Amino acid sequence: MGSKKKLTFDNKKILAPMVRIGTLPMRLLCLDYGCDIVYTEEIIDYRLIRSERVVNDLLGTVDFIDKSDGSLVFRTCDMEKDRVVLQLGTADAQRALAAAKLVVNDVAGIDVNMGCPKEFSVKGGMGSALLSKPDIAEDIMRTLVENLPCTVTCKVRIFPDIESSLQFCQRMADCGIDAIAIHGRRKEERPQNENHNDFIRILAIGLTIPVIANGGSLVIDSYEDLDSFREETGSSSVMIARAAQWNCSIFRKSGKLPVDEVITAYLKYCVDYDNPTSNCKYCVQNMLREFQHSPKGMAFLESHTLEDICSLWDLGEYCKMKQSEYRNRGILCRREAMPEGVKRNLAEEGVVEMKCAFLRHLFQNNDLPKTQLLTWTRKKFLRTPIYETEQYDKRFRSIVSVNNSKYSSSFWEKNKRWSEQAAALVALCSLNVIDAEPLRRKGALR
């Protein structure tokens, strides 16, 4: 096992794992404002295991793409490489290790979620379910520590009594982990319940590894409050979620910035790193809070595209320019180049071709092009579409046969599934089943 510089947890300010919030744009902005370490949102081990690591030259990122549906699982870049910890949702040591090994060279550490009380995690034996399965929890942590060169941590909640809390945390510490984050609420308690800072303080005194205090966001409203929370809990470092979600400039020693200024900086990162519109909107909505009812807030709630959102913060032209650049560079670089050795001319075979790229983020799981085409053929009492796919040098192109006609994209995709979706999309446009103009505006069709 190789060596890797470990993170330290002496008076660090840390962004906590937050579902749908802790994506790349938010993590980078927190680091800009003075955050020392950023944790990703929880990523389930199964999703990571079935992912493919892709170097995205267009964005300057490393992407982990779900091979089953082409969706983005995790995106990172060099700016955070030495300061980002990926949080795993897991209930099995070997799965955890397999997932961690996929990303270990792209992150500074791996964290195991043992605190989430949500039904999805608990039903799968993950999150706070591990608190009642110490043998499994220990197996996971020992396996990661013994087989990974990076920082390894876990995040837990407290038990009803301090003795049980200390016993469990010490058992995790004995595995050799580098730090433990303790959320000062029991698994049945929610944010409106008071955080048990006294528990964290006793645990911080009793444990021999750094303790990261979590759960104080409701009383943290400034940078100074971060230090006060650390002192009250006697912890080595402080981890915050909601306080950063509302205004991540809370990490600035010189004081918080106006929300509009933070949103502008956040949206610029969203544009630069091609963040999905739905995720951008969710994060901005959490920043706006009571300002959602202002004129700008109401206009924001009516927005549909990233350009719409950016226009409200004077970034509309920047967004339009960058998206145009990505369409031109991205499609040309990744899809349009003909692989060497391909001699087949589809036009001569009577195949209808269009410059049509399958952009996964434009479609929901229930309206993928192949699904739409199948539904249409059934309504017309036609035969089921038949797909023929060819592969050259790790690139794929498919032809779909529908009602004695054939359709294909002239772009070469990175996997068979996407190439079939692109062919289906050409058929849908050619048969006027769907309107091609929105696809053209969004860069999927040229």
Side-chain angles (χ1 to χ4, degrees):
M1 182 174 63
S3 61
K4 190 171 184 176
K5 186 177 180 180
K6 296 288 191 80
L7 292 170
T8 60
F9 294 91
D10 180 23
N11 193 21
K12 294 294 191 294
K13 311 299 189 293
I14 303 170
L15 174 69
M18 289 184 284
V19 175
R20 298 183 68 187
I21 296 291
T23 49
L24 182 60
M26 181 62 77
R27 299 196 305 266
L28 293 180
L29 190 58
C30 286
L31 291 173
D32 285 349
Y33 288 144
C35 183
D36 298 300
I37 302 169
V38 289
Y39 277 53
T40 71
E41 60 181 338
E42 178 191 27
I43 300 176
I44 306 303
D45 54 11
Y46 281 115
R47 282 201 79 200
L48 207 49
I49 289 169
R50 68 175 185 240
S51 295
E52 174 187 12
R53 182 183 185 275
V54 177
V55 177
N56 188 332
D57 294 324
L58 182 64
L59 299 178
T61 60
V62 173
D63 299 343
F64 290 83
I65 306 295
D66 191 324
K67 290 182 286 189
S68 68
D69 61 10
S71 60
L72 179 67
V73 177
F74 172 53
R75 170 170 286 163
T76 186
C77 66
D78 284 343
M79 289 173 62
E80 67 169 5
K81 185 173 183 178
D82 297 328
R83 295 178 287 175
V84 63
V85 176
L86 184 140
Q87 187 183 71
L88 274 180
T90 187
D92 179 85
Q94 293 307 311
R95 279 206 313 271
L97 181 59
K101 282 185 172 180
L102 288 173
V103 300
V104 69
N105 293 322
D106 298 299
V107 299
I110 298 293
D111 178 77
V112 175
N113 179 5
M114 298 186 188
C116 180
K118 298 294 179 64
E119 185 179 11
F120 169 77
S121 285
V122 174
K123 274 190 173 181
M126 302 177 291
S128 60
L130 288 171
L131 299 176
S132 58
K133 299 177 181 178
D135 291 342
I136 295 176
E138 179 181 346
D139 186 28
I140 292 171
M141 300 318 299
R142 284 195 183 279
T143 299
L144 294 180
V145 168
E146 291 172 3
N147 293 279
L148 296 178
C150 65
T151 297
V152 176
T153 64
C154 65
K155 185 173 182 290
V156 304
R157 284 187 172 230
I158 61 171
F159 288 72
D161 61 279
I162 192 64
E163 291 80 11
S164 298
S165 300
L166 184 57
Q167 184 179 16
F168 184 89
C169 291
Q170 186 59 57
R171 191 166 177 179
M172 296 305 103
D174 290 343
C175 295
I177 62 177
D178 297 285
I180 186 167
I182 300 175
H183 185 138
R185 292 185 178 85
R186 303 177 183 100
K187 61 183 180 181
E188 68 274 8
E189 293 181 319
R190 294 298 177 264
Q192 62 268 26
N193 298 115
E194 184 178 356
N195 201 56
H196 299 277
N197 293 347
D198 54 336
F199 269 53
I200 299 178
R201 186 172 188 85
I202 295 172
L203 294 170
I205 294 171
L207 295 172
T208 56
I209 62 171
V211 167
I212 306 167
N214 179 235
S217 281
L218 291 182
V219 295
I220 294 174
D221 191 48
S222 67
Y223 184 87
E224 290 73 24
D225 291 338
L226 293 173
D227 286 327
S228 297
F229 182 59
R230 185 178 65 83
E231 290 172 6
E232 184 177 346
T233 57
S235 58
S236 300
S237 295
V238 170
M239 171 184 281
I240 57 170
R242 294 175 187 272
Q245 171 184 303
W246 297 327
N247 188 330
C248 61
S249 68
I250 194 169
F251 292 112
R252 294 177 79 243
K253 289 183 179 181
S254 55
K256 288 196 297 186
L257 297 170
V259 171
D260 272 337
E261 190 171 335
V262 175
I263 291 175
T264 300
Y266 169 74
L267 288 174
K268 188 174 184 301
Y269 269 134
C270 288
V271 172
D272 290 344
Y273 289 99
D274 194 27
N275 203 51
T277 301
S278 59
N279 182 252
C280 300
K281 191 166 185 177
Y282 179 81
C283 291
V284 171
Q285 191 168 355
N286 277 279
M287 291 186 228
L288 282 174
R289 300 179 74 192
E290 67 272 14
F291 294 111
Q292 291 180 50
H293 302 293
S294 67
K296 180 185 282 188
M298 297 300 289
F300 161 76
L301 293 175
E302 294 296 321
S303 63
H304 296 288
T305 67
L306 183 55
E307 186 179 335
D308 290 341
I309 299 171
C310 286
S311 295
L312 296 170
W313 279 272
D314 299 321
L315 285 172
E317 287 303 313
Y318 180 76
C319 179
K320 186 176 181 179
M321 180 269 292
K322 292 294 288 187
Q323 290 189 334
S324 176
E325 174 190 337
Y326 291 156
R327 283 196 298 269
N328 293 334
R329 287 180 55 207
I331 290 177
L332 284 171
C333 292
R334 291 182 297 165
R335 298 186 170 93
E336 198 165 31
M338 182 75 73
E340 292 183 11
V342 178
K343 299 178 181 179
R344 187 175 182 184
N345 188 327
L346 296 187
E348 292 179 356
E349 300 178 28
V351 178
V352 177
E353 276 191 287
M354 298 175 67
K355 292 183 176 182
C356 188
F358 173 63
L359 304 183
R360 180 62 180 83
H361 68 277
L362 299 182
F363 301 93
Q364 301 296 320
N365 287 334
N366 61 353
D367 74 343
L368 292 170
K370 287 182 67 176
T371 304
Q372 293 188 55
L373 184 59
L374 179 61
T375 301
W376 181 81
T377 55
R378 286 176 175 173
K379 287 181 179 178
K380 296 291 184 179
F381 301 101
L382 301 174
R383 288 185 177 180
T384 299
I386 298 174
Y387 294 86
E388 169 200 343
T389 302
E390 54 186 335
Q391 176 185 357
Y392 288 91
D393 191 27
K394 298 183 180 179
R395 282 180 283 177
F396 300 80
R397 180 174 66 178
S398 296
I399 301 170
V400 60
S401 299
V402 183
N403 195 27
N404 299 319
S405 295
K406 296 183 177 182
Y407 306 89
S408 179
S409 171
S410 60
F411 296 143
W412 291 76
E413 296 287 357
K414 63 184 178 181
N415 61 53
K416 181 175 181 287
R417 293 178 301 279
W418 285 25
S419 69
E420 290 179 347
Q421 297 288 0
L425 201 51
V426 172
L428 291 168
C429 293
S430 300
L431 294 166
N432 295 317
V433 179
I434 63 174
D435 184 5
E437 187 54 35
L439 294 174
R440 193 168 283 111
R441 290 199 303 268
K442 294 174 181 177
L445 185 64
R446 286 168 47 185

